[in-house]
Amino acid sequence: MVEDFFEYRHTVGFEETNLVGNVYYVNYLRWQGRCREMFLHRNAPDVLAEVRDDLKLFTLKVDCEFFAEITAFDELSIRMRLTELGQTQLEFTFDYVKVTGGSETLVARGRQRIACMRGPNTDTVPSRVPEGLVRALEPYGAQGRALAGRAA
């Protein structure tokens, strides 16, 4: 079965927990960024080359809703899906799933809105979502599968 999400696996470390022993909230946001980076590394290396040139992927909005606590050495599957694709912006959702043996528990859900920009840091302007990124995202959401035919 082909999944409709990109998966990043992570084992929680002590450095990601607080004094009480549960994961400090800011780490969920870091894992969103890491999942997105690994997606680009594995599925869209041409877009990474554009980022090294002048493409900028600005995070406009990020959030996370928590359903259960996790602690050190919990195994997580962070699952990214495309939920919206505009001309210059994208939105992703992230499911944080604790994997224990054969069982899975949704522990949090996040969202991230990204704007594509180009140009020098002092003069960036909105830019179309790169076609390489559009193609790489096609399998990762119901909307994504319809992206191939989006208007140019």
Side-chain angles (χ1 to χ4, degrees):
M1 177 177 158
V2 175
E3 303 293 351
D4 68 344
F5 54 81
F6 174 79
E7 179 181 50
Y8 167 65
R9 298 282 257 186
H10 181 74
T11 301
V12 177
F14 283 128
E15 74 278 4
E16 297 168 311
T17 62
N18 58 25
L19 293 174
V20 180
N22 57 357
V23 169
Y24 188 59
Y25 74 93
V26 75
N27 288 298
Y28 290 84
L29 305 182
R30 290 179 57 231
W31 298 333
Q32 283 185 21
R34 182 71 174 156
C35 184
R36 189 178 81 185
E37 290 168 3
M38 294 311 295
F39 169 81
L40 291 172
H41 174 70
R42 292 180 191 157
N43 296 38
D46 56 322
V47 176
L48 278 181
E50 290 185 58
V51 168
R52 289 182 191 106
D53 186 20
D54 77 336
L55 175 65
K56 291 158 182 65
L57 301 175
F58 285 122
T59 302
L60 301 176
K61 181 179 180 179
V62 63
D63 66 40
C64 195
E65 184 177 6
F66 306 99
F67 308 123
E69 290 185 355
I70 54 176
T71 59
F73 303 107
D74 282 343
E75 298 287 332
L76 289 181
S77 166
I78 296 108
R79 299 172 179 175
M80 182 182 83
R81 289 181 177 87
L82 176 68
T83 54
E84 185 182 327
L85 176 69
Q87 297 297 313
T88 63
Q89 295 184 16
L90 312 103
E91 189 165 287
F92 299 105
T93 58
F94 296 84
D95 287 345
Y96 301 82
V97 178
K98 179 179 173 181
V99 180
T100 310
S103 115
E104 296 187 345
T105 304
L106 181 66
V107 296
R109 178 167 287 140
R111 191 174 61 201
Q112 194 176 102
R113 185 158 200 69
I114 309 299
C116 296
M117 307 284 280
R118 290 194 186 267
N121 288 336
T122 57
D123 192 25
T124 57
V125 294
S127 175
R128 291 183 64 87
V129 175
E131 286 304 315
L133 184 53
V134 171
R135 282 190 307 277
L137 287 167
E138 285 177 12
Y140 299 105
Q143 183 182 10
R145 286 186 286 280
L147 297 177
R150 83 178 175 130

